[in-house]
Amino acid sequence: MGCMDHWHPVLAAKNLRQKPVGVRLNGRELVLFRDGRGQIGALDDCCVHRRMRLSLGSVSGGRLHCMYHGWSYDSQGNGESPATPKMYACAPHYDVCEKYDWLWVKPTDARAEFPALDVAGFEFAGTLYHEMEAPLEIVLDNFTEVEHTPTTHALLGYSIDRMPEVETKVESTANSVRVFNAGPQKAISPVVAAVFGIHTGDRFVDDWTTYFSPVYTVYDQYWNDEKTGAEKGIRWRNVVFFNPLDAERTGLVTFAFYKPDPQGGWRNWLTFKPGLLWFVDREIRLDQEMVSKLADKSPSIEGMKLSRFDRVLGLNRARLASVYRGTPAATDLVGQGSP
Ligand code: FES
Ligand SMILES: [Fe+2]
């Protein structure tokens, strides 16, 4: 399998209307369009004739028309030339599916399974999109450790003086890496505490698993009462997909889910969906800002002095290579870190 051979969420469905839209993924450019009969086409964004960008063209009669010499394509990539009607041309095309308000693509010949999200019992709050100015590895490093939460985050995380109490455990399989973190919730304002039904010092659990076909992490975030240990407040399940746009940039698609607090009462009115999305958006922007300031964004971990929270970095890299990119040379690293 290569890095394209997975189902990636590439465009919010609401952003595809009459006009074709170009997207970038793994350094490739694709064009998406609606053919007017409910089908969505996804083709390489490059006309097979003389390489014009198809995303600059237009859709009429259910076909995508190239702006240069007027060749046109259906959603399966079957092309026609108005000037040479007998000629057959075929543009490379992709399978498309619409799920969780996004459009997902994969090459037609790739056998990858659609990433079924385990979100039974959760409410879907909506989706967010962020672009990070760093390669996939560096972005994933940020999203899979909690040592930065005291300094970087507003709500979700631990306080710097109690970091030594935070437990972190790693478990891995050949194609997933789970990290379980638990420790005292950092200081939060009384308003935030009231809205979410939690307190500074409650045990905040951040338990996530990263998968690699495509690359995404499922975060389970919840709180246990500091004294009784009972679960309290809201529970979040955020799923973040990490799309490498090219070697320097990564697109993050977040699907936010939550379970309202069973004892929430009036509070559940306040944690309405736009409010939750606002909180998640703010936390991701804080990561975005922090990562943008790195002195060196090269994907290698060589030369880094790693902490007890960073065991996951090497495990993730090994699976990015073996599962996502299909680079067999890295498979010997995969066994490391298994329980
Ligand atoms: S380049 Fe597209 S029709 Fe000629
Ligand atoms: Fe973060």
Side-chain angles (χ1 to χ4, degrees), residues 83-150:
T84 318
K86 292 220 172 69
M87 194 176 70
Y88 179 71
C90 185
H93 72 286
Y94 298 78
D95 291 336
V96 184
C97 107
E98 182 168 347
K99 199 102 204 261
Y100 305 114
D101 300 343
W102 272 64
L103 302 175
W104 305 65
V105 301
K106 81 160 180 60
T108 43
D109 56 355
R111 285 175 299 134
E113 299 275 322
F114 189 84
L117 305 186
D118 172 19
V119 288
F122 283 80
E123 303 255 350
F124 181 36
T127 69
L128 295 165
Y129 182 70
H130 300 85
E131 259 179 48
M132 311 279 278
E133 297 293 321
L136 172 62
E137 281 81 353
I138 297 299
V139 174
L140 193 60
D141 292 348
N142 172 261
F143 274 74
T144 50
E145 54 82 7
V146 295
E147 194 180 351
H148 72 282
T149 62

Coordinates of all heavy atoms in Angstrom, one line a residue, residues 83-150:
A83 N -13.5 18.2 -30.6 CA -12.9 18.3 -31.9 C -12.6 17.0 -32.6 O -12.4 16.9 -33.8 CB -11.6 19.2 -31.8
T84 N -12.5 15.9 -31.8 CA -12.1 14.6 -32.3 C -13.1 13.6 -31.6 O -12.7 12.8 -30.7 CB -10.7 14.3 -31.9 OG1 -9.9 15.4 -32.1 CG2 -10.1 13.1 -32.7
P85 N -14.4 13.6 -32.0 CA -15.4 12.9 -31.3 C -15.1 11.4 -31.2 O -15.6 10.7 -30.2 CB -16.7 13.1 -32.1 CG -16.4 14.2 -33.0 CD -14.9 14.3 -33.2
K86 N -14.4 10.8 -32.1 CA -14.2 9.3 -32.0 C -13.1 8.9 -31.1 O -12.9 7.7 -30.8 CB -13.8 8.8 -33.4 CG -15.0 8.9 -34.4 CD -15.0 7.7 -35.3 CE -16.3 7.7 -36.2 NZ -16.2 8.7 -37.2
M87 N -12.4 9.9 -30.6 CA -11.2 9.5 -29.7 C -11.7 9.2 -28.3 O -12.6 9.8 -27.8 CB -10.3 10.7 -29.6 CG -9.0 10.3 -29.1 SD -7.8 11.7 -29.1 CE -8.6 12.7 -27.9
Y88 N -11.1 8.2 -27.7 CA -11.5 7.9 -26.3 C -10.4 8.3 -25.4 O -9.2 8.0 -25.6 CB -11.7 6.4 -26.1 CG -12.1 6.0 -24.7 CD1 -13.3 6.4 -24.2 CD2 -11.2 5.3 -23.9 CE1 -13.6 6.1 -22.8 CE2 -11.5 5.1 -22.6 CZ -12.7 5.5 -22.1 OH -13.0 5.2 -20.7
A89 N -10.7 9.0 -24.3 CA -9.7 9.4 -23.3 C -10.2 9.1 -21.9 O -11.5 9.2 -21.7 CB -9.5 10.9 -23.4
C90 N -9.4 8.7 -21.1 CA -9.8 8.4 -19.7 C -8.9 9.0 -18.7 O -7.7 8.8 -18.7 CB -9.8 6.9 -19.5 SG -10.5 6.4 -17.9
A91 N -9.5 9.8 -17.8 CA -8.7 10.5 -16.7 C -8.7 9.6 -15.5 O -9.7 9.0 -15.1 CB -9.4 11.8 -16.4
P92 N -7.5 9.5 -14.8 CA -7.5 8.7 -13.6 C -8.5 9.2 -12.6 O -8.6 10.4 -12.4 CB -6.1 9.0 -13.1 CG -5.3 9.4 -14.3 CD -6.3 10.1 -15.2
H93 N -9.3 8.3 -12.1 CA -10.4 8.7 -11.2 C -10.4 7.9 -9.9 O -9.7 6.9 -9.7 CB -11.7 8.6 -11.8 CG -12.3 7.3 -12.0 ND1 -11.8 6.4 -13.0 CD2 -13.2 6.6 -11.4 CE1 -12.4 5.3 -13.0 NE2 -13.3 5.3 -12.0
Y94 N -11.1 8.4 -8.9 CA -11.1 7.9 -7.5 C -12.5 7.5 -7.1 O -13.5 8.1 -7.6 CB -10.6 8.9 -6.6 CG -9.2 9.3 -6.9 CD1 -8.9 10.2 -7.9 CD2 -8.1 8.8 -6.1 CE1 -7.6 10.5 -8.2 CE2 -6.8 9.2 -6.4 CZ -6.5 10.0 -7.5 OH -5.2 10.4 -7.8
D95 N -12.6 6.5 -6.2 CA -13.9 6.3 -5.5 C -14.2 7.4 -4.6 O -13.3 7.9 -3.9 CB -13.9 5.0 -4.7 CG -13.7 3.7 -5.6 OD1 -14.1 3.8 -6.8 OD2 -13.2 2.7 -5.1
V96 N -15.5 7.8 -4.5 CA -15.9 8.9 -3.6 C -17.0 8.4 -2.7 O -17.9 7.7 -3.1 CB -16.4 10.1 -4.3 CG1 -16.7 11.2 -3.4 CG2 -15.4 10.5 -5.4
C97 N -17.0 8.8 -1.4 CA -18.1 8.5 -0.6 C -18.4 9.7 0.4 O -17.4 10.4 0.7 CB -18.0 7.2 0.1 SG -17.6 7.2 1.8
E98 N -19.6 9.9 0.7 CA -20.0 11.0 1.6 C -20.4 10.5 3.0 O -21.3 9.7 3.0 CB -21.1 11.8 1.0 CG -21.5 13.0 1.8 CD -22.4 14.0 1.1 OE1 -22.6 13.9 -0.2 OE2 -23.0 14.9 1.8
K99 N -19.7 10.9 4.0 CA -19.9 10.4 5.3 C -19.5 11.4 6.4 O -18.5 12.1 6.2 CB -19.1 9.1 5.5 CG -19.5 8.2 6.6 CD -20.3 7.0 6.1 CE -21.2 6.5 7.2 NZ -20.7 5.3 7.9
Y100 N -20.3 11.6 7.4 CA -20.0 12.6 8.5 C -19.8 14.0 7.9 O -18.9 14.7 8.3 CB -18.8 12.2 9.3 CG -18.9 10.8 9.9 CD1 -18.1 9.8 9.6 CD2 -19.9 10.5 10.9 CE1 -18.2 8.5 10.1 CE2 -20.0 9.3 11.4 CZ -19.1 8.3 11.1 OH -19.2 7.0 11.6
D101 N -20.6 14.3 6.9 CA -20.6 15.7 6.3 C -19.3 15.9 5.4 O -19.1 17.1 5.0 CB -20.7 16.8 7.3 CG -22.0 16.7 8.1 OD1 -22.9 16.0 7.6 OD2 -22.0 17.4 9.2
W102 N -18.5 14.9 5.2 CA -17.3 15.1 4.4 C -17.3 14.2 3.2 O -18.0 13.2 3.2 CB -16.0 14.9 5.2 CG -15.6 16.2 5.9 CD1 -16.3 16.9 6.8 CD2 -14.4 17.0 5.6 NE1 -15.6 18.0 7.1 CE2 -14.5 18.1 6.4 CE3 -13.3 16.8 4.7 CZ2 -13.5 19.1 6.3 CZ3 -12.4 17.8 4.7 CH2 -12.5 18.9 5.5
L103 N -16.5 14.6 2.2 CA -16.3 13.7 1.0 C -15.0 13.0 1.2 O -13.9 13.6 1.5 CB -16.3 14.5 -0.3 CG -17.6 15.3 -0.5 CD1 -17.5 16.2 -1.7 CD2 -18.8 14.4 -0.6
W104 N -15.0 11.7 1.0 CA -13.8 10.8 1.2 C -13.4 10.2 -0.2 O -14.3 9.9 -0.9 CB -14.1 9.7 2.2 CG -14.7 10.1 3.5 CD1 -15.9 10.8 3.7 CD2 -14.1 10.0 4.8 NE1 -16.0 11.0 5.1 CE2 -14.9 10.5 5.7 CE3 -12.9 9.4 5.2 CZ2 -14.6 10.5 7.1 CZ3 -12.6 9.3 6.5 CH2 -13.4 9.9 7.5
V105 N -12.2 10.1 -0.4 CA -11.7 9.5 -1.7 C -10.7 8.4 -1.4 O -10.0 8.5 -0.4 CB -11.1 10.5 -2.7 CG1 -12.1 11.6 -3.0 CG2 -9.8 11.1 -2.1
K106 N -10.7 7.5 -2.4 CA -9.6 6.5 -2.4 C -9.4 6.1 -3.9 O -10.4 6.1 -4.6 CB -9.8 5.3 -1.5 CG -10.7 4.2 -2.0 CD -10.5 2.9 -1.3 CE -11.4 1.8 -1.9 NZ -11.2 1.5 -3.3
P107 N -8.2 5.7 -4.3 CA -8.0 5.2 -5.6 C -8.9 4.0 -5.9 O -9.1 3.2 -5.0 CB -6.6 4.8 -5.7 CG -5.9 5.5 -4.6 CD -7.0 5.7 -3.5
T108 N -9.5 3.9 -7.1 CA -10.5 2.8 -7.3 C -9.8 1.4 -7.1 O -10.5 0.5 -6.7 CB -11.0 2.8 -8.7 OG1 -10.0 3.1 -9.6 CG2 -12.1 3.9 -8.9
D109 N -8.6 1.3 -7.3 CA -8.0 -0.1 -7.2 C -7.4 -0.4 -5.8 O -6.9 -1.4 -5.6 CB -6.9 -0.3 -8.3 CG -5.8 0.8 -8.2 OD1 -6.0 1.8 -7.4 OD2 -4.8 0.7 -9.0
A110 N -7.5 0.6 -4.9 CA -7.0 0.4 -3.5 C -8.0 -0.5 -2.8 O -9.2 -0.2 -2.9 CB -6.7 1.7 -2.8
R111 N -7.6 -1.4 -1.9 CA -8.5 -2.3 -1.2 C -8.8 -1.9 0.2 O -9.4 -2.6 1.0 CB -8.0 -3.7 -1.3 CG -8.1 -4.4 -2.6 CD -7.5 -5.8 -2.6 NE -6.0 -5.6 -2.3 CZ -5.4 -6.4 -1.5 NH1 -6.0 -7.4 -0.8 NH2 -4.1 -6.2 -1.3
A112 N -8.3 -0.7 0.6 CA -8.5 -0.2 2.0 C -9.9 -0.2 2.4 O -10.8 0.1 1.7 CB -7.9 1.2 2.1
E113 N -10.1 -0.6 3.7 CA -11.4 -0.5 4.3 C -11.7 0.9 4.7 O -10.8 1.7 5.1 CB -11.4 -1.3 5.6 CG -11.1 -2.8 5.5 CD -12.3 -3.6 5.2 OE1 -13.4 -3.2 5.7 OE2 -12.2 -4.5 4.4
F114 N -13.0 1.3 4.7 CA -13.4 2.6 5.1 C -13.2 2.6 6.7 O -13.6 1.7 7.3 CB -14.9 2.9 4.8 CG -15.3 4.3 5.1 CD1 -15.0 5.3 4.1 CD2 -15.8 4.7 6.3 CE1 -15.3 6.6 4.4 CE2 -16.1 6.0 6.5 CZ -15.9 7.0 5.6
P115 N -12.6 3.7 7.2 CA -12.4 3.7 8.6 C -13.7 3.9 9.4 O -14.2 5.0 9.6 CB -11.5 4.9 8.8 CG -11.7 5.8 7.6 CD -12.1 4.9 6.5
A116 N -14.2 2.7 9.9 CA -15.5 2.8 10.6 C -15.2 3.4 12.0 O -14.4 2.9 12.7 CB -16.0 1.3 10.7
L117 N -15.9 4.5 12.3 CA -15.7 5.1 13.6 C -16.7 4.5 14.6 O -17.9 4.4 14.3 CB -16.0 6.6 13.4 CG -15.2 7.3 12.4 CD1 -15.4 8.8 12.4 CD2 -13.7 7.0 12.5
D118 N -16.1 4.2 15.7 CA -16.9 3.6 16.8 C -17.5 4.7 17.6 O -16.8 5.1 18.6 CB -16.0 2.6 17.6 CG -16.7 2.1 18.9 OD1 -17.9 2.2 18.9 OD2 -16.0 1.7 19.8
V119 N -18.7 5.2 17.3 CA -19.2 6.3 18.0 C -20.7 6.0 18.4 O -21.4 7.0 18.6 CB -19.2 7.6 17.1 CG1 -17.7 8.1 17.0 CG2 -19.7 7.4 15.7
A120 N -21.0 4.7 18.5 CA -22.4 4.4 19.0 C -22.6 5.0 20.3 O -21.8 5.0 21.2 CB -22.5 2.9 19.1
G121 N -23.8 5.6 20.5 CA -24.1 6.3 21.8 C -23.7 7.7 21.9 O -24.0 8.3 22.9
F122 N -22.9 8.2 21.0 CA -22.4 9.6 21.0 C -23.2 10.4 20.1 O -23.7 10.0 19.1 CB -20.9 9.6 20.6 CG -20.0 9.2 21.7 CD1 -19.8 7.8 21.9 CD2 -19.3 10.1 22.5 CE1 -18.9 7.4 22.9 CE2 -18.5 9.7 23.5 CZ -18.3 8.3 23.7
E123 N -23.3 11.7 20.4 CA -23.9 12.7 19.5 C -22.8 13.3 18.6 O -21.7 13.6 19.1 CB -24.5 13.9 20.4 CG -25.5 13.4 21.4 CD -26.9 13.8 20.9 OE1 -27.1 14.5 19.9 OE2 -27.8 13.3 21.6
F124 N -23.2 13.5 17.4 CA -22.2 14.2 16.4 C -22.3 15.7 16.6 O -23.4 16.2 16.3 CB -22.6 13.7 15.0 CG -21.7 14.2 13.9 CD1 -20.3 14.4 14.1 CD2 -22.2 14.5 12.7 CE1 -19.5 14.8 13.1 CE2 -21.4 15.0 11.7 CZ -20.0 15.1 11.9
A125 N -21.3 16.3 17.0 CA -21.3 17.8 17.2 C -21.0 18.5 15.9 O -21.4 19.7 15.7 CB -20.4 18.2 18.3
G126 N -20.2 17.9 15.0 CA -19.8 18.6 13.7 C -18.4 18.4 13.4 O -17.7 17.6 14.1
T127 N -17.9 19.1 12.4 CA -16.5 18.9 11.9 C -15.8 20.2 11.9 O -16.4 21.3 11.9 CB -16.5 18.3 10.5 OG1 -17.0 19.3 9.6 CG2 -17.4 17.1 10.4
L128 N -14.5 20.1 12.0 CA -13.6 21.3 11.9 C -12.4 21.0 11.0 O -12.1 19.8 10.8 CB -13.0 21.5 13.3 CG -14.0 21.9 14.4 CD1 -13.3 21.8 15.8 CD2 -14.4 23.4 14.2
Y129 N -11.9 22.0 10.4 CA -10.7 21.8 9.5 C -9.6 22.8 9.9 O -9.9 24.0 10.1 CB -11.1 22.0 8.0 CG -9.9 21.7 7.1 CD1 -9.4 20.5 7.0 CD2 -9.2 22.8 6.5 CE1 -8.2 20.2 6.2 CE2 -8.1 22.6 5.7 CZ -7.6 21.3 5.5 OH -6.5 21.1 4.8
H130 N -8.4 22.3 10.0 CA -7.2 23.1 10.3 C -6.1 22.7 9.5 O -5.9 21.5 9.2 CB -6.8 23.0 11.8 CG -7.9 23.4 12.8 ND1 -8.8 22.5 13.2 CD2 -8.1 24.6 13.4 CE1 -9.7 23.1 14.0 NE2 -9.3 24.4 14.2
E131 N -5.2 23.7 9.1 CA -4.0 23.3 8.4 C -2.8 23.6 9.3 O -2.8 24.7 9.9 CB -3.9 24.1 7.1 CG -4.3 23.3 5.9 CD -4.2 24.0 4.6 OE1 -3.2 24.6 4.3 OE2 -5.2 23.9 3.9
M132 N -1.9 22.7 9.4 CA -0.7 22.9 10.2 C 0.5 23.0 9.3 O 0.6 22.2 8.3 CB -0.5 21.7 11.1 CG -1.7 21.2 11.9 SD -2.1 22.2 13.3 CE -0.9 21.4 14.5
E133 N 1.4 23.9 9.6 CA 2.6 24.2 8.8 C 3.7 23.2 9.3 O 4.7 23.7 9.8 CB 3.0 25.6 8.9 CG 2.0 26.6 8.4 CD 1.8 26.5 6.9 OE1 2.8 26.3 6.1 OE2 0.7 26.6 6.4
A134 N 3.5 22.0 9.1 CA 4.5 21.0 9.5 C 4.1 19.6 8.9 O 3.0 19.4 8.6 CB 4.5 20.8 11.1
P135 N 5.1 18.8 8.7 CA 4.9 17.5 8.1 C 4.0 16.6 9.0 O 4.0 16.8 10.3 CB 6.2 16.9 7.8 CG 7.2 17.7 8.6 CD 6.6 19.0 8.9
L136 N 3.5 15.6 8.5 CA 2.6 14.6 9.2 C 3.2 14.1 10.5 O 2.6 14.2 11.6 CB 2.3 13.4 8.3 CG 1.6 12.2 8.8 CD1 0.2 12.6 9.3 CD2 1.5 11.1 7.8
E137 N 4.5 13.7 10.5 CA 5.1 13.1 11.7 C 5.1 14.1 12.8 O 4.8 13.8 14.0 CB 6.6 12.7 11.4 CG 6.7 11.4 10.7 CD 6.5 11.6 9.2 OE1 6.1 12.6 8.7 OE2 6.8 10.6 8.5
I138 N 5.5 15.4 12.5 CA 5.6 16.4 13.6 C 4.2 16.8 14.1 O 4.1 17.0 15.3 CB 6.3 17.6 13.0 CG1 7.7 17.2 12.5 CG2 6.4 18.8 13.9 CD1 8.6 16.7 13.6
V139 N 3.2 16.8 13.3 CA 1.9 17.1 13.7 C 1.4 16.0 14.6 O 0.8 16.2 15.7 CB 0.9 17.4 12.5 CG1 -0.5 17.6 13.0 CG2 1.4 18.6 11.7
L140 N 1.6 14.8 14.2 CA 1.1 13.6 14.9 C 1.8 13.6 16.3 O 1.2 13.2 17.3 CB 1.3 12.3 14.1 CG 0.6 11.1 14.7 CD1 -0.9 11.2 14.7 CD2 1.0 9.9 13.8
D141 N 3.1 13.9 16.3 CA 3.8 14.0 17.6 C 3.1 14.9 18.6 O 2.9 14.6 19.8 CB 5.3 14.5 17.4 CG 6.2 13.6 16.6 OD1 5.8 12.4 16.4 OD2 7.3 14.0 16.2
N142 N 2.7 16.0 18.1 CA 2.0 17.0 19.0 C 0.7 16.5 19.5 O 0.3 16.7 20.6 CB 1.8 18.3 18.2 CG 0.9 19.3 19.0 OD1 -0.3 19.4 18.7 ND2 1.5 20.0 19.9
F143 N 0.0 15.8 18.6 CA -1.3 15.3 18.9 C -1.4 14.0 19.7 O -2.4 13.5 20.0 CB -2.2 15.1 17.7 CG -2.9 16.4 17.3 CD1 -2.1 17.5 16.7 CD2 -4.2 16.6 17.5 CE1 -2.7 18.7 16.4 CE2 -4.8 17.8 17.2 CZ -4.1 18.9 16.6
T144 N -0.2 13.4 20.0 CA -0.2 12.1 20.7 C 0.7 12.1 21.9 O 1.3 11.1 22.3 CB 0.2 11.0 19.7 OG1 1.4 11.3 19.0 CG2 -0.9 10.7 18.7
E145 N 0.9 13.3 22.5 CA 1.5 13.3 23.9 C 0.8 14.4 24.7 O 0.3 15.4 24.1 CB 3.0 13.5 23.8 CG 3.5 14.7 22.9 CD 3.5 16.1 23.7 OE1 3.2 16.1 24.9 OE2 3.7 17.1 23.0
V146 N 0.9 14.3 26.0 CA 0.2 15.3 26.9 C 1.2 16.2 27.6 O 0.7 17.1 28.4 CB -0.7 14.6 27.9 CG1 -1.9 13.9 27.2 CG2 0.0 13.7 28.8
E147 N 2.4 16.0 27.4 CA 3.4 16.9 28.1 C 3.3 18.3 27.7 O 3.7 19.2 28.5 CB 4.8 16.4 27.8 CG 5.9 16.9 28.8 CD 7.3 16.4 28.5 OE1 7.5 15.5 27.7 OE2 8.2 16.9 29.1
H148 N 2.7 18.6 26.6 CA 2.5 20.0 26.1 C 1.2 20.6 26.7 O 1.0 21.8 26.5 CB 2.6 20.2 24.6 CG 1.4 19.7 23.9 ND1 1.1 18.3 23.7 CD2 0.3 20.3 23.4 CE1 0.0 18.2 23.1 NE2 -0.6 19.4 22.9
T149 N 0.4 19.8 27.3 CA -0.9 20.4 27.7 C -0.9 21.5 28.7 O -1.7 22.4 28.7 CB -1.9 19.3 28.1 OG1 -1.5 18.6 29.2 CG2 -2.2 18.3 26.9
P150 N 0.1 21.4 29.7 CA 0.1 22.5 30.7 C 0.4 23.9 30.1 O -0.1 24.9 30.5 CB 1.3 22.1 31.7 CG 1.5 20.7 31.4 CD 1.1 20.4 30.0

